[in-house]
Amino acid sequence: MALSGLDIYKLLPKTNCRECGFPTCLAFAMQLAKKAVPLSKCPYISPEAKAALEEASLAPIRLVTIGQDKK
């Protein structure tokens, strides 16, 4: 499930350092939600937040079994 800009913002460091190229962490989060910038542009994101955001951005996968007969 895709995260909203506000969900992403809650995981960011909220330093408003501008090192990502945006004036605020909220502006950066909104661009992340639109997949317009990579997460790597934030130099201060924690490893935990990075893992959570990367996991949330994965496409849902449905397991499929191939080659087994239904009985």
Side-chain angles (χ1 to χ4, degrees):
M1 181 173 135
L3 295 176
S4 71
L6 289 176
D7 292 329
I8 294 169
Y9 175 71
K10 291 175 185 177
L11 296 170
L12 294 178
K14 300 175 197 75
T15 59
N16 295 332
C17 67
R18 300 178 185 210
E19 290 184 42
C20 63
F22 294 92
T24 65
C25 289
L26 181 57
F28 178 64
M30 298 307 248
Q31 293 303 309
L32 277 174
K34 293 190 320 186
K35 300 186 187 303
V37 295
L39 180 59
S40 60
K41 290 193 67 108
C42 178
Y44 300 109
I45 189 142
S46 71
E48 296 83 15
K50 183 177 181 181
L53 289 169
E54 287 174 347
E55 182 179 330
S57 69
L58 295 176
I61 298 173
R62 189 174 127 202
L63 296 177
V64 177
T65 304
I66 299 174
Q68 292 186 0
D69 295 327
K70 292 184 180 181
K71 294 184 182 190

Short mmCIF file of all heavy atoms in Angstrom, two decimals:
data_model
loop_
_atom_site.label_atom_id
_atom_site.label_comp_id
_atom_site.label_asym_id
_atom_site.label_seq_id
_atom_site.Cartn_x
_atom_site.Cartn_y
_atom_site.Cartn_z
N MET A 1 0.85 -1.18 0.00
CA MET A 1 0.00 0.00 0.00
C MET A 1 0.89 1.24 0.00
O MET A 1 1.84 1.36 0.77
CB MET A 1 -0.89 -0.02 1.23
CG MET A 1 -1.82 1.15 1.32
SD MET A 1 -2.95 0.92 2.70
CE MET A 1 -2.88 2.53 3.39
N ALA A 2 0.60 2.15 -0.86
CA ALA A 2 1.39 3.38 -0.96
C ALA A 2 1.10 4.29 0.23
O ALA A 2 -0.02 4.39 0.71
CB ALA A 2 1.04 4.10 -2.25
N LEU A 3 2.15 4.93 0.70
CA LEU A 3 2.00 5.86 1.81
C LEU A 3 1.69 7.25 1.29
O LEU A 3 2.16 7.64 0.22
CB LEU A 3 3.30 5.91 2.62
CG LEU A 3 3.72 4.63 3.33
CD1 LEU A 3 5.07 4.84 3.99
CD2 LEU A 3 2.70 4.23 4.36
N SER A 4 0.94 8.01 2.07
CA SER A 4 0.67 9.39 1.70
C SER A 4 1.87 10.25 2.11
O SER A 4 2.75 9.81 2.84
CB SER A 4 -0.59 9.89 2.44
OG SER A 4 -0.30 10.06 3.82
N GLY A 5 1.87 11.47 1.62
CA GLY A 5 2.94 12.40 1.97
C GLY A 5 3.04 12.61 3.47
O GLY A 5 4.14 12.70 4.02
N LEU A 6 1.91 12.66 4.16
CA LEU A 6 1.93 12.86 5.61
C LEU A 6 2.46 11.64 6.34
O LEU A 6 3.16 11.76 7.34
CB LEU A 6 0.53 13.23 6.12
CG LEU A 6 0.06 14.62 5.73
CD1 LEU A 6 -1.37 14.86 6.19
CD2 LEU A 6 0.99 15.68 6.29
N ASP A 7 2.13 10.44 5.83
CA ASP A 7 2.67 9.21 6.43
C ASP A 7 4.19 9.19 6.30
O ASP A 7 4.90 8.82 7.23
CB ASP A 7 2.08 7.97 5.75
CG ASP A 7 0.61 7.78 6.03
OD1 ASP A 7 0.14 8.19 7.11
OD2 ASP A 7 -0.08 7.23 5.15
N ILE A 8 4.68 9.58 5.14
CA ILE A 8 6.12 9.63 4.91
C ILE A 8 6.76 10.69 5.80
O ILE A 8 7.81 10.45 6.42
CB ILE A 8 6.42 9.91 3.42
CG1 ILE A 8 5.94 8.73 2.57
CG2 ILE A 8 7.90 10.18 3.20
CD1 ILE A 8 5.93 8.98 1.09
N TYR A 9 6.14 11.84 5.90
CA TYR A 9 6.67 12.94 6.71
C TYR A 9 6.88 12.52 8.17
O TYR A 9 7.87 12.89 8.79
CB TYR A 9 5.71 14.14 6.65
CG TYR A 9 6.09 15.27 7.55
CD1 TYR A 9 7.20 16.06 7.27
CD2 TYR A 9 5.34 15.57 8.68
CE1 TYR A 9 7.56 17.11 8.11
CE2 TYR A 9 5.69 16.61 9.52
CZ TYR A 9 6.80 17.38 9.23
OH TYR A 9 7.16 18.40 10.07
N LYS A 10 5.97 11.71 8.68
CA LYS A 10 6.08 11.25 10.07
C LYS A 10 7.34 10.43 10.30
O LYS A 10 7.84 10.35 11.43
CB LYS A 10 4.85 10.42 10.45
CG LYS A 10 3.58 11.25 10.54
CD LYS A 10 2.38 10.37 10.79
CE LYS A 10 1.11 11.17 10.76
NZ LYS A 10 -0.09 10.33 10.92
N LEU A 11 7.87 9.82 9.24
CA LEU A 11 9.08 9.00 9.37
C LEU A 11 10.37 9.77 9.10
O LEU A 11 11.45 9.27 9.37
CB LEU A 11 8.98 7.81 8.40
CG LEU A 11 7.86 6.82 8.70
CD1 LEU A 11 7.71 5.83 7.55
CD2 LEU A 11 8.10 6.11 10.01
N LEU A 12 10.25 10.97 8.58
CA LEU A 12 11.43 11.78 8.27
C LEU A 12 11.95 12.47 9.52
O LEU A 12 11.23 12.62 10.51
CB LEU A 12 11.09 12.82 7.19
CG LEU A 12 10.76 12.25 5.81
CD1 LEU A 12 10.40 13.39 4.85
CD2 LEU A 12 11.89 11.42 5.25
N PRO A 13 13.20 12.94 9.52
CA PRO A 13 13.79 13.56 10.71
C PRO A 13 13.22 14.94 11.07
O PRO A 13 13.43 15.43 12.17
CB PRO A 13 15.28 13.66 10.37
CG PRO A 13 15.34 13.63 8.89
CD PRO A 13 14.18 12.79 8.44
N LYS A 14 12.53 15.58 10.15
CA LYS A 14 11.89 16.90 10.37
C LYS A 14 12.90 17.98 10.77
O LYS A 14 12.65 18.82 11.61
CB LYS A 14 10.78 16.78 11.42
CG LYS A 14 9.68 15.82 11.03
CD LYS A 14 8.68 15.68 12.16
CE LYS A 14 7.83 14.46 11.98
NZ LYS A 14 8.48 13.20 12.27
N THR A 15 14.06 17.96 10.12
CA THR A 15 15.09 18.96 10.42
C THR A 15 14.96 20.20 9.53
O THR A 15 15.52 21.24 9.86
CB THR A 15 16.49 18.37 10.21
OG1 THR A 15 16.60 17.93 8.85
CG2 THR A 15 16.76 17.22 11.15
N ASN A 16 14.26 20.06 8.39
CA ASN A 16 14.14 21.14 7.42
C ASN A 16 15.51 21.70 7.05
O ASN A 16 15.71 22.91 6.91
CB ASN A 16 13.23 22.26 7.93
CG ASN A 16 11.80 21.80 8.09
OD1 ASN A 16 11.35 20.89 7.40
ND2 ASN A 16 11.09 22.39 9.02
N CYS A 17 16.47 20.80 6.86
CA CYS A 17 17.86 21.19 6.59
C CYS A 17 18.07 21.69 5.16
O CYS A 17 19.06 22.34 4.88
CB CYS A 17 18.77 20.00 6.84
SG CYS A 17 18.55 18.63 5.66
N ARG A 18 17.18 21.36 4.25
CA ARG A 18 17.23 21.77 2.85
C ARG A 18 18.32 21.06 2.04
O ARG A 18 18.54 21.38 0.89
CB ARG A 18 17.39 23.28 2.70
CG ARG A 18 16.27 24.05 3.33
CD ARG A 18 16.50 25.53 3.22
NE ARG A 18 15.44 26.22 3.95
CZ ARG A 18 14.99 27.38 3.63
NH1 ARG A 18 15.50 28.03 2.60
NH2 ARG A 18 14.05 27.94 4.32
N GLU A 19 19.01 20.11 2.64
CA GLU A 19 20.07 19.41 1.92
C GLU A 19 19.52 18.49 0.83
O GLU A 19 20.26 18.09 -0.07
CB GLU A 19 20.95 18.64 2.90
CG GLU A 19 21.79 19.55 3.76
CD GLU A 19 22.74 18.80 4.66
OE1 GLU A 19 23.35 17.82 4.22
OE2 GLU A 19 22.87 19.22 5.83
N CYS A 20 18.23 18.19 0.88
CA CYS A 20 17.60 17.35 -0.15
C CYS A 20 17.19 18.18 -1.37
O CYS A 20 16.80 17.62 -2.39
CB CYS A 20 16.37 16.66 0.43
SG CYS A 20 15.07 17.80 0.97
N GLY A 21 17.24 19.49 -1.23
CA GLY A 21 16.85 20.36 -2.32
C GLY A 21 15.46 20.95 -2.17
O GLY A 21 15.00 21.70 -3.02
N PHE A 22 14.79 20.64 -1.06
CA PHE A 22 13.45 21.16 -0.80
C PHE A 22 13.47 22.02 0.45
O PHE A 22 14.29 21.80 1.35
CB PHE A 22 12.45 20.01 -0.64
CG PHE A 22 12.26 19.24 -1.92
CD1 PHE A 22 13.04 18.13 -2.19
CD2 PHE A 22 11.35 19.66 -2.88
CE1 PHE A 22 12.90 17.43 -3.38
CE2 PHE A 22 11.21 18.97 -4.06
CZ PHE A 22 11.97 17.86 -4.32
N PRO A 23 12.59 23.00 0.55
CA PRO A 23 12.62 23.92 1.69
C PRO A 23 12.22 23.30 3.02
O PRO A 23 12.64 23.77 4.07
CB PRO A 23 11.65 25.04 1.29
CG PRO A 23 10.76 24.42 0.27
CD PRO A 23 11.59 23.39 -0.43
N THR A 24 11.41 22.24 2.99
CA THR A 24 10.97 21.59 4.22
C THR A 24 10.93 20.08 4.03
O THR A 24 10.87 19.58 2.90
CB THR A 24 9.56 22.05 4.64
OG1 THR A 24 8.62 21.61 3.63
CG2 THR A 24 9.47 23.56 4.82
N CYS A 25 10.91 19.37 5.15
CA CYS A 25 10.77 17.91 5.09
C CYS A 25 9.39 17.53 4.55
O CYS A 25 9.26 16.52 3.87
CB CYS A 25 10.99 17.31 6.47
SG CYS A 25 12.71 17.39 7.04
N LEU A 26 8.39 18.34 4.82
CA LEU A 26 7.06 18.05 4.31
C LEU A 26 7.03 18.14 2.79
O LEU A 26 6.46 17.28 2.11
CB LEU A 26 6.02 18.99 4.91
CG LEU A 26 4.57 18.77 4.46
CD1 LEU A 26 4.12 17.33 4.75
CD2 LEU A 26 3.65 19.76 5.12
N ALA A 27 7.68 19.14 2.23
CA ALA A 27 7.75 19.27 0.77
C ALA A 27 8.47 18.07 0.17
O ALA A 27 8.06 17.53 -0.86
CB ALA A 27 8.45 20.57 0.38
N PHE A 28 9.54 17.62 0.81
CA PHE A 28 10.28 16.45 0.35
C PHE A 28 9.40 15.21 0.43
O PHE A 28 9.36 14.40 -0.50
CB PHE A 28 11.55 16.28 1.19
CG PHE A 28 12.35 15.07 0.84
CD1 PHE A 28 12.94 14.94 -0.41
CD2 PHE A 28 12.55 14.06 1.77
CE1 PHE A 28 13.70 13.82 -0.72
CE2 PHE A 28 13.31 12.94 1.46
CZ PHE A 28 13.89 12.82 0.21
N ALA A 29 8.66 15.06 1.52
CA ALA A 29 7.77 13.91 1.70
C ALA A 29 6.70 13.86 0.61
O ALA A 29 6.37 12.78 0.10
CB ALA A 29 7.11 13.96 3.07
N MET A 30 6.17 15.00 0.25
CA MET A 30 5.14 15.04 -0.80
C MET A 30 5.73 14.58 -2.14
O MET A 30 5.06 13.88 -2.90
CB MET A 30 4.55 16.45 -0.92
CG MET A 30 3.86 16.90 0.34
SD MET A 30 2.65 15.72 0.91
CE MET A 30 1.18 16.62 0.66
N GLN A 31 6.96 14.96 -2.41
CA GLN A 31 7.60 14.52 -3.65
C GLN A 31 7.94 13.03 -3.61
O GLN A 31 7.85 12.34 -4.62
CB GLN A 31 8.86 15.35 -3.91
CG GLN A 31 8.56 16.80 -4.23
CD GLN A 31 7.64 16.95 -5.42
OE1 GLN A 31 7.87 16.39 -6.49
NE2 GLN A 31 6.58 17.72 -5.24
N LEU A 32 8.30 12.53 -2.43
CA LEU A 32 8.53 11.09 -2.28
C LEU A 32 7.25 10.31 -2.54
O LEU A 32 7.28 9.26 -3.18
CB LEU A 32 9.03 10.76 -0.87
CG LEU A 32 10.50 10.93 -0.59
CD1 LEU A 32 10.79 10.71 0.89
CD2 LEU A 32 11.32 9.97 -1.42
N ALA A 33 6.14 10.82 -2.04
CA ALA A 33 4.85 10.14 -2.23
C ALA A 33 4.50 10.05 -3.71
O ALA A 33 3.89 9.07 -4.15
CB ALA A 33 3.75 10.87 -1.45
N LYS A 34 4.90 11.06 -4.48
CA LYS A 34 4.64 11.05 -5.92
C LYS A 34 5.71 10.29 -6.70
O LYS A 34 5.65 10.21 -7.92
CB LYS A 34 4.57 12.49 -6.45
CG LYS A 34 3.39 13.27 -5.93
CD LYS A 34 3.15 14.60 -6.60
CE LYS A 34 4.36 15.42 -6.91
NZ LYS A 34 4.05 16.75 -7.44
N LYS A 35 6.70 9.76 -5.96
CA LYS A 35 7.84 9.05 -6.56
C LYS A 35 8.62 9.93 -7.53
O LYS A 35 9.15 9.47 -8.53
CB LYS A 35 7.38 7.76 -7.23
CG LYS A 35 6.71 6.80 -6.27
CD LYS A 35 6.40 5.48 -6.91
CE LYS A 35 5.59 4.56 -6.06
NZ LYS A 35 6.07 4.21 -4.79
N ALA A 36 8.68 11.23 -7.21
CA ALA A 36 9.40 12.18 -8.05
C ALA A 36 10.87 12.32 -7.66
O ALA A 36 11.66 12.83 -8.44
CB ALA A 36 8.71 13.55 -7.98
N VAL A 37 11.22 11.89 -6.45
CA VAL A 37 12.61 11.96 -5.97
C VAL A 37 12.94 10.67 -5.24
O VAL A 37 12.06 10.01 -4.69
CB VAL A 37 12.84 13.17 -5.02
CG1 VAL A 37 12.67 14.48 -5.74
CG2 VAL A 37 11.95 13.09 -3.81
N PRO A 38 14.22 10.31 -5.19
CA PRO A 38 14.61 9.11 -4.44
C PRO A 38 14.78 9.42 -2.95
O PRO A 38 15.14 10.54 -2.56
CB PRO A 38 15.94 8.72 -5.06
CG PRO A 38 16.52 10.00 -5.56
CD PRO A 38 15.32 10.84 -5.99
N LEU A 39 14.55 8.45 -2.13
CA LEU A 39 14.71 8.58 -0.68
C LEU A 39 16.15 8.92 -0.31
O LEU A 39 16.39 9.60 0.69
CB LEU A 39 14.28 7.27 0.00
CG LEU A 39 14.36 7.20 1.50
CD1 LEU A 39 13.50 8.29 2.14
CD2 LEU A 39 13.95 5.83 1.98
N SER A 40 17.08 8.52 -1.12
CA SER A 40 18.50 8.75 -0.84
C SER A 40 18.87 10.23 -0.79
O SER A 40 19.97 10.58 -0.33
CB SER A 40 19.36 8.04 -1.87
OG SER A 40 19.08 8.52 -3.17
N LYS A 41 18.00 11.12 -1.24
CA LYS A 41 18.29 12.56 -1.19
C LYS A 41 18.27 13.10 0.23
O LYS A 41 18.79 14.18 0.49
CB LYS A 41 17.31 13.34 -2.06
CG LYS A 41 17.56 13.07 -3.56
CD LYS A 41 16.83 14.03 -4.43
CE LYS A 41 17.34 15.41 -4.30
NZ LYS A 41 18.11 15.97 -5.36
N CYS A 42 17.68 12.35 1.17
CA CYS A 42 17.66 12.79 2.58
C CYS A 42 18.87 12.21 3.29
O CYS A 42 18.95 11.00 3.51
CB CYS A 42 16.38 12.33 3.28
SG CYS A 42 16.34 12.80 5.03
N PRO A 43 19.83 13.05 3.69
CA PRO A 43 21.04 12.54 4.33
C PRO A 43 20.86 12.15 5.79
O PRO A 43 21.75 11.54 6.38
CB PRO A 43 22.02 13.70 4.19
CG PRO A 43 21.17 14.92 4.16
CD PRO A 43 19.89 14.49 3.46
N TYR A 44 19.74 12.49 6.41
CA TYR A 44 19.56 12.28 7.84
C TYR A 44 18.50 11.24 8.19
O TYR A 44 18.14 11.11 9.35
CB TYR A 44 19.22 13.61 8.53
CG TYR A 44 20.31 14.62 8.33
CD1 TYR A 44 20.11 15.71 7.49
CD2 TYR A 44 21.54 14.48 8.93
CE1 TYR A 44 21.12 16.64 7.28
CE2 TYR A 44 22.56 15.40 8.73
CZ TYR A 44 22.34 16.47 7.91
OH TYR A 44 23.34 17.39 7.70
N ILE A 45 18.02 10.50 7.22
CA ILE A 45 16.97 9.52 7.51
C ILE A 45 17.56 8.36 8.30
O ILE A 45 18.67 7.90 8.01
CB ILE A 45 16.27 9.05 6.22
CG1 ILE A 45 15.07 8.22 6.56
CG2 ILE A 45 17.20 8.29 5.33
CD1 ILE A 45 13.92 8.44 5.65
N SER A 46 16.84 7.91 9.31
CA SER A 46 17.34 6.81 10.14
C SER A 46 17.23 5.49 9.38
O SER A 46 16.39 5.35 8.49
CB SER A 46 16.53 6.73 11.44
OG SER A 46 15.23 6.25 11.17
N PRO A 47 18.04 4.52 9.74
CA PRO A 47 17.96 3.22 9.08
C PRO A 47 16.57 2.56 9.26
O PRO A 47 16.07 1.91 8.35
CB PRO A 47 19.04 2.38 9.77
CG PRO A 47 20.00 3.38 10.31
CD PRO A 47 19.18 4.60 10.65
N GLU A 48 15.96 2.78 10.42
CA GLU A 48 14.64 2.21 10.67
C GLU A 48 13.59 2.84 9.75
O GLU A 48 12.75 2.15 9.18
CB GLU A 48 14.23 2.41 12.14
CG GLU A 48 15.11 1.69 13.13
CD GLU A 48 16.38 2.47 13.48
OE1 GLU A 48 16.46 3.68 13.17
OE2 GLU A 48 17.30 1.84 14.03
N ALA A 49 13.62 4.16 9.63
CA ALA A 49 12.68 4.86 8.76
C ALA A 49 12.91 4.49 7.31
O ALA A 49 11.96 4.28 6.55
CB ALA A 49 12.79 6.37 8.96
N LYS A 50 14.18 4.37 6.93
CA LYS A 50 14.50 3.99 5.56
C LYS A 50 13.94 2.61 5.24
O LYS A 50 13.34 2.40 4.19
CB LYS A 50 16.02 4.01 5.35
CG LYS A 50 16.44 3.69 3.95
CD LYS A 50 17.94 3.80 3.78
CE LYS A 50 18.32 3.50 2.35
NZ LYS A 50 19.75 3.56 2.13
N ALA A 51 14.12 1.66 6.16
CA ALA A 51 13.60 0.31 5.95
C ALA A 51 12.08 0.31 5.84
O ALA A 51 11.50 -0.36 4.98
CB ALA A 51 14.06 -0.60 7.07
N ALA A 52 11.41 1.08 6.71
CA ALA A 52 9.95 1.14 6.69
C ALA A 52 9.44 1.74 5.38
O ALA A 52 8.48 1.25 4.80
CB ALA A 52 9.44 1.96 7.88
N LEU A 53 10.09 2.80 4.92
CA LEU A 53 9.67 3.44 3.67
C LEU A 53 9.94 2.55 2.46
O LEU A 53 9.13 2.49 1.54
CB LEU A 53 10.35 4.79 3.51
CG LEU A 53 9.85 5.87 4.47
CD1 LEU A 53 10.75 7.09 4.42
CD2 LEU A 53 8.42 6.25 4.14
N GLU A 54 11.07 1.86 2.46
CA GLU A 54 11.38 0.98 1.34
C GLU A 54 10.40 -0.20 1.30
O GLU A 54 9.95 -0.60 0.24
CB GLU A 54 12.82 0.49 1.43
CG GLU A 54 13.82 1.58 1.09
CD GLU A 54 15.26 1.17 1.30
OE1 GLU A 54 15.52 0.14 1.97
OE2 GLU A 54 16.14 1.90 0.82
N GLU A 55 10.06 -0.73 2.46
CA GLU A 55 9.11 -1.85 2.51
C GLU A 55 7.73 -1.40 2.04
O GLU A 55 7.05 -2.12 1.31
CB GLU A 55 9.01 -2.40 3.93
CG GLU A 55 8.09 -3.59 4.04
CD GLU A 55 8.04 -4.14 5.45
OE1 GLU A 55 9.04 -4.04 6.19
OE2 GLU A 55 6.98 -4.69 5.81
N ALA A 56 7.31 -0.21 2.45
CA ALA A 56 5.99 0.29 2.06
C ALA A 56 5.92 0.60 0.57
O ALA A 56 4.84 0.59 -0.01
CB ALA A 56 5.65 1.54 2.86
N SER A 57 7.06 0.85 -0.06
CA SER A 57 7.04 1.20 -1.47
C SER A 57 7.07 -0.02 -2.40
O SER A 57 6.92 0.12 -3.61
CB SER A 57 8.20 2.13 -1.81
OG SER A 57 9.42 1.43 -1.72
N LEU A 58 7.26 -1.21 -1.82
CA LEU A 58 7.28 -2.42 -2.64
C LEU A 58 5.88 -2.73 -3.16
O LEU A 58 4.88 -2.50 -2.48
CB LEU A 58 7.78 -3.61 -1.82
CG LEU A 58 9.22 -3.55 -1.34
CD1 LEU A 58 9.53 -4.75 -0.45
CD2 LEU A 58 10.18 -3.51 -2.51
N ALA A 59 5.83 -3.26 -4.35
CA ALA A 59 4.54 -3.66 -4.92
C ALA A 59 4.02 -4.89 -4.18
O ALA A 59 4.81 -5.75 -3.78
CB ALA A 59 4.70 -3.98 -6.40
N PRO A 60 2.72 -4.96 -3.96
CA PRO A 60 2.17 -6.15 -3.30
C PRO A 60 2.38 -7.37 -4.20
O PRO A 60 2.23 -7.31 -5.41
CB PRO A 60 0.69 -5.83 -3.13
CG PRO A 60 0.41 -4.73 -4.08
CD PRO A 60 1.70 -4.00 -4.31
N ILE A 61 2.74 -8.47 -3.57
CA ILE A 61 3.02 -9.69 -4.33
C ILE A 61 2.05 -10.78 -3.89
O ILE A 61 1.88 -11.03 -2.70
CB ILE A 61 4.48 -10.16 -4.09
CG1 ILE A 61 5.45 -9.10 -4.57
CG2 ILE A 61 4.74 -11.49 -4.76
CD1 ILE A 61 6.89 -9.39 -4.23
N ARG A 62 1.44 -11.40 -4.86
CA ARG A 62 0.54 -12.51 -4.59
C ARG A 62 1.30 -13.79 -4.93
O ARG A 62 1.80 -13.95 -6.03
CB ARG A 62 -0.72 -12.39 -5.43
CG ARG A 62 -1.77 -13.37 -5.07
CD ARG A 62 -3.03 -13.09 -5.84
NE ARG A 62 -3.41 -14.33 -6.48
CZ ARG A 62 -4.16 -14.44 -7.53
NH1 ARG A 62 -4.64 -13.37 -8.11
NH2 ARG A 62 -4.46 -15.60 -8.02
N LEU A 63 1.36 -14.71 -3.97
CA LEU A 63 2.06 -15.95 -4.21
C LEU A 63 1.25 -16.84 -5.14
O LEU A 63 0.05 -16.99 -4.99
CB LEU A 63 2.31 -16.68 -2.90
CG LEU A 63 3.23 -15.95 -1.92
CD1 LEU A 63 3.35 -16.75 -0.62
CD2 LEU A 63 4.60 -15.75 -2.52
N VAL A 64 1.93 -17.43 -6.10
CA VAL A 64 1.30 -18.31 -7.07
C VAL A 64 2.06 -19.63 -7.06
O VAL A 64 3.28 -19.66 -7.10
CB VAL A 64 1.36 -17.69 -8.49
CG1 VAL A 64 0.78 -18.64 -9.52
CG2 VAL A 64 0.66 -16.36 -8.51
N THR A 65 1.31 -20.73 -7.01
CA THR A 65 1.92 -22.04 -7.06
C THR A 65 1.78 -22.58 -8.46
O THR A 65 0.68 -22.62 -9.02
CB THR A 65 1.24 -23.00 -6.05
OG1 THR A 65 1.32 -22.40 -4.75
CG2 THR A 65 1.91 -24.34 -6.04
N ILE A 66 2.88 -23.03 -9.04
CA ILE A 66 2.87 -23.52 -10.40
C ILE A 66 3.24 -25.01 -10.39
O ILE A 66 4.17 -25.43 -9.71
CB ILE A 66 3.89 -22.75 -11.28
CG1 ILE A 66 3.50 -21.28 -11.31
CG2 ILE A 66 3.98 -23.33 -12.67
CD1 ILE A 66 4.48 -20.39 -12.00
N GLY A 67 2.48 -25.79 -11.17
CA GLY A 67 2.84 -27.19 -11.35
C GLY A 67 2.23 -28.16 -10.38
O GLY A 67 2.59 -29.32 -10.38
N GLN A 68 1.32 -27.76 -9.53
CA GLN A 68 0.67 -28.69 -8.62
C GLN A 68 -0.77 -28.87 -9.06
O GLN A 68 -1.48 -27.92 -9.35
CB GLN A 68 0.72 -28.19 -7.19
CG GLN A 68 2.11 -28.18 -6.62
CD GLN A 68 2.11 -27.82 -5.15
OE1 GLN A 68 1.08 -27.58 -4.56
NE2 GLN A 68 3.30 -27.81 -4.55
N ASP A 69 -1.20 -30.13 -9.12
CA ASP A 69 -2.56 -30.45 -9.50
C ASP A 69 -3.49 -30.24 -8.31
O ASP A 69 -3.14 -30.52 -7.16
CB ASP A 69 -2.67 -31.90 -9.96
CG ASP A 69 -1.87 -32.15 -11.22
OD1 ASP A 69 -1.79 -31.21 -12.04
OD2 ASP A 69 -1.35 -33.26 -11.38
N LYS A 70 -4.69 -29.78 -8.62
CA LYS A 70 -5.73 -29.68 -7.58
C LYS A 70 -6.37 -31.04 -7.44
O LYS A 70 -6.68 -31.71 -8.41
CB LYS A 70 -6.79 -28.64 -7.97
CG LYS A 70 -6.27 -27.25 -7.97
CD LYS A 70 -7.40 -26.30 -8.26
CE LYS A 70 -6.93 -24.87 -8.27
NZ LYS A 70 -8.00 -23.93 -8.53
N LYS A 71 -6.55 -31.49 -6.24
CA LYS A 71 -7.16 -32.81 -6.02
C LYS A 71 -8.36 -32.70 -5.14
O LYS A 71 -8.59 -31.94 -4.36
CB LYS A 71 -6.16 -33.76 -5.40
CG LYS A 71 -5.04 -34.05 -6.37
CD LYS A 71 -4.10 -35.07 -5.78
CE LYS A 71 -2.98 -35.27 -6.79
NZ LYS A 71 -2.13 -36.34 -6.52
#
